[in-house]
Amino acid sequence: MPAAPKVFGIILAGGEGKRLMPLTADRAKPAVPFGGQYRLIDFAISNLINSGLRQLVVLTQYKSHSLDRHISQTWRMSPMLGAYVASVPAQQRLGKRWFSGSADAILQSMNLIRDEKPDIVVVIGADHVYRMDFGQMLDAHIASDARATVAGIRQPIGLANQFGVIDTDPSDPTKIREFLEKPQNPTGLADAPHEVLASMGNYIFDADALVEAVTHDGELPTSAHDMGGDIVPYFVNRGEAAVYDFQRNDVPGSTPRDQSYWRDVGTIESFYDAHMDLISTLPIFNLYNTDWPIYSQTVNAPPAKFVRDSVGRIGNAIDSIVSLGSVLSGTHLERSVVGPWALAGGGSTITDSVLFDSVQVGAGARIHRAILDKNVVLEPGATIGVDRERDLARGFTVTETGITVVGKDVHVHA
Ligand code: ADQ
């Protein structure tokens, strides 16, 4: 390995995100808006850019239009520095088929690795909220003799069936001796029986080893061509896989509270909870860390405005985020995240909710414990999240814990 290895980044962004429906009815999961002005993928890209990577490709497939547009508008890098973030759609380079799995996405994008000739490839997912300095994981990978390093984080054992679960060698806790993708009957950790060491879906490979592995995998008719299910076990079986402990990662400007924050926002519940983590006085995840910025699209909009309504009613806003372009007139807003260009009328109430772009809330309307997708319009006096049966009858999604989700462009009658 050269003293200053060349590092190339691949972001896997082709997943459908079925469990986030209806928010993914019209867009890829990494393009789902988050935190008012961000899209989920901004966390992955910001982490890689802040870690010093400058050549990044985003592999897309499912309903990728808004994702492509977001990447091209937001992530404009300097060509003079050889820097780029390129969105690369599935192109059927190996025959008439789309990506059949995340490893196949890499196999079908091999030309990108050949063109760049990196020493090391960082491969990460696109749908988590966290801060991570990949420079520290790279140092650990280079210092080890592993050809593949998997980032790991402790998670409750009850969630093990959503993750790849890592078992390490007792004599060398950085070495992976077994890796089970989404096991039904996992064994807990020796020092914490109610926890497992979960893969974060972030990997570092020696470039030649990754090329070998996905090429070999592509020849196996029974493989699901999945990074977690097939490629990581390939390295584990050869004794060439290491784990990097995310709890060691020390990101500049992190508070003790958000130091090891990592949220898989794959379900409506976890997506909603991650929003609530942003808004308290001492947030569990701090968006205001300027030492490790999370970048997003610049919204060309006037500042948010809070005014009385036309008959002089006064509103208030507390424990909330409000994005540019929004005008709240005589609105009571509490524990909520409001995206750009919201318009809310007098006497309306928005509590414990998440609003995407351009939501219109009529006078006297009430929104509680709800997620409203882009362009949702509430007529004056309309309610959402107040009467579960009525929400279900109107065709809205209501989760077990009572979060109502209203899809894009829906007009809600009073
Ligand atoms: P999952 O998240 O269930 O588990 P997957 O659905 O493959 O795995 O998604 C991983 C990433 O790959 C996502 O960013 C997704 O958008 C992308 N992706 C999925 N299919 C793709 C395709 N055909 N083309 C391009 N991109 C694609 C994974 C690992 C687990 C790990 C969890 C952590 O498999 O081991 O524990 O992530 O959340």
PDB file of all heavy atoms in Angstrom, residues 386-404:
ATOM      1  N   VAL A 386     -55.333  13.564  14.577  1.00  0.00           N
ATOM      2  CA  VAL A 386     -56.190  13.813  15.735  1.00  0.00           C
ATOM      3  C   VAL A 386     -57.142  12.634  15.942  1.00  0.00           C
ATOM      4  O   VAL A 386     -57.430  12.241  17.059  1.00  0.00           O
ATOM      5  CB  VAL A 386     -56.983  15.132  15.530  1.00  0.00           C
ATOM      6  CG1 VAL A 386     -57.944  15.379  16.675  1.00  0.00           C
ATOM      7  CG2 VAL A 386     -56.020  16.301  15.353  1.00  0.00           C
ATOM      8  N   ASP A 387     -57.609  12.056  14.825  1.00  0.00           N
ATOM      9  CA  ASP A 387     -58.571  10.958  14.888  1.00  0.00           C
ATOM     10  C   ASP A 387     -58.039   9.823  14.010  1.00  0.00           C
ATOM     11  O   ASP A 387     -58.130   9.862  12.780  1.00  0.00           O
ATOM     12  CB  ASP A 387     -59.931  11.474  14.376  1.00  0.00           C
ATOM     13  CG  ASP A 387     -61.002  10.393  14.388  1.00  0.00           C
ATOM     14  OD1 ASP A 387     -60.656   9.196  14.430  1.00  0.00           O
ATOM     15  OD2 ASP A 387     -62.187  10.763  14.325  1.00  0.00           O
ATOM     16  N   ARG A 388     -57.491   8.797  14.656  1.00  0.00           N
ATOM     17  CA  ARG A 388     -56.817   7.704  13.942  1.00  0.00           C
ATOM     18  C   ARG A 388     -57.741   7.030  12.909  1.00  0.00           C
ATOM     19  O   ARG A 388     -57.345   6.799  11.765  1.00  0.00           O
ATOM     20  CB  ARG A 388     -56.358   6.680  14.994  1.00  0.00           C
ATOM     21  CG  ARG A 388     -55.675   5.474  14.428  1.00  0.00           C
ATOM     22  CD  ARG A 388     -55.463   4.412  15.513  1.00  0.00           C
ATOM     23  NE  ARG A 388     -54.948   3.211  14.911  1.00  0.00           N
ATOM     24  CZ  ARG A 388     -53.647   2.937  14.770  1.00  0.00           C
ATOM     25  NH1 ARG A 388     -52.749   3.766  15.220  1.00  0.00           N
ATOM     26  NH2 ARG A 388     -53.256   1.839  14.180  1.00  0.00           N
ATOM     27  N   GLU A 389     -58.970   6.713  13.342  1.00  0.00           N
ATOM     28  CA  GLU A 389     -59.878   5.998  12.443  1.00  0.00           C
ATOM     29  C   GLU A 389     -60.178   6.838  11.200  1.00  0.00           C
ATOM     30  O   GLU A 389     -60.249   6.340  10.087  1.00  0.00           O
ATOM     31  CB  GLU A 389     -61.188   5.622  13.168  1.00  0.00           C
ATOM     32  CG  GLU A 389     -60.987   4.649  14.334  1.00  0.00           C
ATOM     33  CD  GLU A 389     -60.105   3.456  13.948  1.00  0.00           C
ATOM     34  OE1 GLU A 389     -60.286   2.900  12.858  1.00  0.00           O
ATOM     35  OE2 GLU A 389     -59.189   3.112  14.738  1.00  0.00           O
ATOM     36  N   ARG A 390     -60.356   8.121  11.429  1.00  0.00           N
ATOM     37  CA  ARG A 390     -60.664   9.005  10.297  1.00  0.00           C
ATOM     38  C   ARG A 390     -59.465   9.089   9.346  1.00  0.00           C
ATOM     39  O   ARG A 390     -59.622   9.076   8.117  1.00  0.00           O
ATOM     40  CB  ARG A 390     -61.038  10.383  10.848  1.00  0.00           C
ATOM     41  CG  ARG A 390     -61.487  11.312   9.782  1.00  0.00           C
ATOM     42  CD  ARG A 390     -62.384  12.428  10.283  1.00  0.00           C
ATOM     43  NE  ARG A 390     -62.741  13.262   9.151  1.00  0.00           N
ATOM     44  CZ  ARG A 390     -62.292  14.503   8.975  1.00  0.00           C
ATOM     45  NH1 ARG A 390     -61.535  15.078   9.883  1.00  0.00           N
ATOM     46  NH2 ARG A 390     -62.623  15.175   7.894  1.00  0.00           N
ATOM     47  N   ASP A 391     -58.265   9.152   9.929  1.00  0.00           N
ATOM     48  CA  ASP A 391     -57.056   9.198   9.084  1.00  0.00           C
ATOM     49  C   ASP A 391     -56.956   7.940   8.233  1.00  0.00           C
ATOM     50  O   ASP A 391     -56.655   7.998   7.034  1.00  0.00           O
ATOM     51  CB  ASP A 391     -55.796   9.345   9.949  1.00  0.00           C
ATOM     52  CG  ASP A 391     -55.640  10.754  10.481  1.00  0.00           C
ATOM     53  OD1 ASP A 391     -56.428  11.632  10.074  1.00  0.00           O
ATOM     54  OD2 ASP A 391     -54.738  10.984  11.311  1.00  0.00           O
ATOM     55  N   LEU A 392     -57.223   6.780   8.853  1.00  0.00           N
ATOM     56  CA  LEU A 392     -57.164   5.516   8.099  1.00  0.00           C
ATOM     57  C   LEU A 392     -58.237   5.508   7.014  1.00  0.00           C
ATOM     58  O   LEU A 392     -57.975   5.126   5.876  1.00  0.00           O
ATOM     59  CB  LEU A 392     -57.353   4.328   9.046  1.00  0.00           C
ATOM     60  CG  LEU A 392     -56.147   4.009   9.944  1.00  0.00           C
ATOM     61  CD1 LEU A 392     -56.534   3.020  11.042  1.00  0.00           C
ATOM     62  CD2 LEU A 392     -54.990   3.446   9.115  1.00  0.00           C
ATOM     63  N   ALA A 393     -59.425   5.974   7.368  1.00  0.00           N
ATOM     64  CA  ALA A 393     -60.534   5.978   6.401  1.00  0.00           C
ATOM     65  C   ALA A 393     -60.221   6.885   5.211  1.00  0.00           C
ATOM     66  O   ALA A 393     -60.686   6.643   4.093  1.00  0.00           O
ATOM     67  CB  ALA A 393     -61.822   6.432   7.088  1.00  0.00           C
ATOM     68  N   ARG A 394     -59.405   7.906   5.454  1.00  0.00           N
ATOM     69  CA  ARG A 394     -59.050   8.811   4.343  1.00  0.00           C
ATOM     70  C   ARG A 394     -57.862   8.279   3.534  1.00  0.00           C
ATOM     71  O   ARG A 394     -57.359   8.962   2.645  1.00  0.00           O
ATOM     72  CB  ARG A 394     -58.727  10.205   4.894  1.00  0.00           C
ATOM     73  CG  ARG A 394     -59.974  10.897   5.464  1.00  0.00           C
ATOM     74  CD  ARG A 394     -59.694  12.322   5.889  1.00  0.00           C
ATOM     75  NE  ARG A 394     -58.882  12.399   7.085  1.00  0.00           N
ATOM     76  CZ  ARG A 394     -58.548  13.545   7.702  1.00  0.00           C
ATOM     77  NH1 ARG A 394     -58.971  14.694   7.221  1.00  0.00           N
ATOM     78  NH2 ARG A 394     -57.806  13.531   8.789  1.00  0.00           N
ATOM     79  N   GLY A 395     -57.403   7.089   3.890  1.00  0.00           N
ATOM     80  CA  GLY A 395     -56.340   6.461   3.097  1.00  0.00           C
ATOM     81  C   GLY A 395     -54.936   6.849   3.530  1.00  0.00           C
ATOM     82  O   GLY A 395     -53.955   6.520   2.856  1.00  0.00           O
ATOM     83  N   PHE A 396     -54.795   7.510   4.678  1.00  0.00           N
ATOM     84  CA  PHE A 396     -53.448   7.862   5.141  1.00  0.00           C
ATOM     85  C   PHE A 396     -52.827   6.661   5.849  1.00  0.00           C
ATOM     86  O   PHE A 396     -53.531   5.796   6.363  1.00  0.00           O
ATOM     87  CB  PHE A 396     -53.505   9.052   6.117  1.00  0.00           C
ATOM     88  CG  PHE A 396     -54.176  10.271   5.532  1.00  0.00           C
ATOM     89  CD1 PHE A 396     -54.864  11.160   6.346  1.00  0.00           C
ATOM     90  CD2 PHE A 396     -54.134  10.532   4.168  1.00  0.00           C
ATOM     91  CE1 PHE A 396     -55.496  12.281   5.814  1.00  0.00           C
ATOM     92  CE2 PHE A 396     -54.755  11.645   3.630  1.00  0.00           C
ATOM     93  CZ  PHE A 396     -55.441  12.521   4.452  1.00  0.00           C
ATOM     94  N   THR A 397     -51.510   6.640   5.871  1.00  0.00           N
ATOM     95  CA  THR A 397     -50.815   5.585   6.611  1.00  0.00           C
ATOM     96  C   THR A 397     -50.771   6.002   8.082  1.00  0.00           C
ATOM     97  O   THR A 397     -50.427   7.151   8.381  1.00  0.00           O
ATOM     98  CB  THR A 397     -49.362   5.461   6.077  1.00  0.00           C
ATOM     99  OG1 THR A 397     -49.437   5.154   4.681  1.00  0.00           O
ATOM    100  CG2 THR A 397     -48.574   4.399   6.808  1.00  0.00           C
ATOM    101  N   VAL A 398     -51.122   5.090   8.983  1.00  0.00           N
ATOM    102  CA  VAL A 398     -50.973   5.395  10.415  1.00  0.00           C
ATOM    103  C   VAL A 398     -50.167   4.257  11.037  1.00  0.00           C
ATOM    104  O   VAL A 398     -50.536   3.088  10.906  1.00  0.00           O
ATOM    105  CB  VAL A 398     -52.343   5.522  11.124  1.00  0.00           C
ATOM    106  CG1 VAL A 398     -52.145   5.922  12.587  1.00  0.00           C
ATOM    107  CG2 VAL A 398     -53.238   6.530  10.415  1.00  0.00           C
ATOM    108  N   THR A 399     -49.059   4.576  11.674  1.00  0.00           N
ATOM    109  CA  THR A 399     -48.202   3.519  12.235  1.00  0.00           C
ATOM    110  C   THR A 399     -48.787   3.029  13.562  1.00  0.00           C
ATOM    111  O   THR A 399     -49.693   3.651  14.123  1.00  0.00           O
ATOM    112  CB  THR A 399     -46.776   4.037  12.499  1.00  0.00           C
ATOM    113  OG1 THR A 399     -46.845   5.005  13.568  1.00  0.00           O
ATOM    114  CG2 THR A 399     -46.178   4.680  11.268  1.00  0.00           C
ATOM    115  N   GLU A 400     -48.187   1.935  14.060  1.00  0.00           N
ATOM    116  CA  GLU A 400     -48.660   1.361  15.328  1.00  0.00           C
ATOM    117  C   GLU A 400     -48.613   2.369  16.469  1.00  0.00           C
ATOM    118  O   GLU A 400     -49.465   2.377  17.337  1.00  0.00           O
ATOM    119  CB  GLU A 400     -47.783   0.168  15.712  1.00  0.00           C
ATOM    120  CG  GLU A 400     -48.346  -1.129  15.211  1.00  0.00           C
ATOM    121  CD  GLU A 400     -47.427  -2.296  15.490  1.00  0.00           C
ATOM    122  OE1 GLU A 400     -46.636  -2.224  16.460  1.00  0.00           O
ATOM    123  OE2 GLU A 400     -47.508  -3.258  14.721  1.00  0.00           O
ATOM    124  N   THR A 401     -47.602   3.224  16.449  1.00  0.00           N
ATOM    125  CA  THR A 401     -47.493   4.191  17.549  1.00  0.00           C
ATOM    126  C   THR A 401     -48.251   5.483  17.223  1.00  0.00           C
ATOM    127  O   THR A 401     -48.115   6.475  17.928  1.00  0.00           O
ATOM    128  CB  THR A 401     -46.025   4.543  17.850  1.00  0.00           C
ATOM    129  OG1 THR A 401     -45.494   5.200  16.690  1.00  0.00           O
ATOM    130  CG2 THR A 401     -45.198   3.321  18.175  1.00  0.00           C
ATOM    131  N   GLY A 402     -49.035   5.467  16.156  1.00  0.00           N
ATOM    132  CA  GLY A 402     -49.927   6.593  15.896  1.00  0.00           C
ATOM    133  C   GLY A 402     -49.295   7.763  15.152  1.00  0.00           C
ATOM    134  O   GLY A 402     -49.712   8.906  15.349  1.00  0.00           O
ATOM    135  N   ILE A 403     -48.330   7.489  14.280  1.00  0.00           N
ATOM    136  CA  ILE A 403     -47.813   8.563  13.418  1.00  0.00           C
ATOM    137  C   ILE A 403     -48.585   8.497  12.096  1.00  0.00           C
ATOM    138  O   ILE A 403     -48.598   7.449  11.437  1.00  0.00           O
ATOM    139  CB  ILE A 403     -46.303   8.392  13.151  1.00  0.00           C
ATOM    140  CG1 ILE A 403     -45.535   8.381  14.464  1.00  0.00           C
ATOM    141  CG2 ILE A 403     -45.790   9.491  12.221  1.00  0.00           C
ATOM    142  CD1 ILE A 403     -44.127   7.837  14.330  1.00  0.00           C
ATOM    143  N   THR A 404     -49.227   9.591  11.732  1.00  0.00           N
ATOM    144  CA  THR A 404     -49.974   9.621  10.472  1.00  0.00           C
ATOM    145  C   THR A 404     -49.069  10.164   9.373  1.00  0.00           C
ATOM    146  O   THR A 404     -48.389  11.183   9.583  1.00  0.00           O
ATOM    147  CB  THR A 404     -51.208  10.538  10.603  1.00  0.00           C
ATOM    148  OG1 THR A 404     -52.015  10.057  11.684  1.00  0.00           O
ATOM    149  CG2 THR A 404     -52.043  10.541   9.326  1.00  0.00           C
TER     150      THR A 404
END
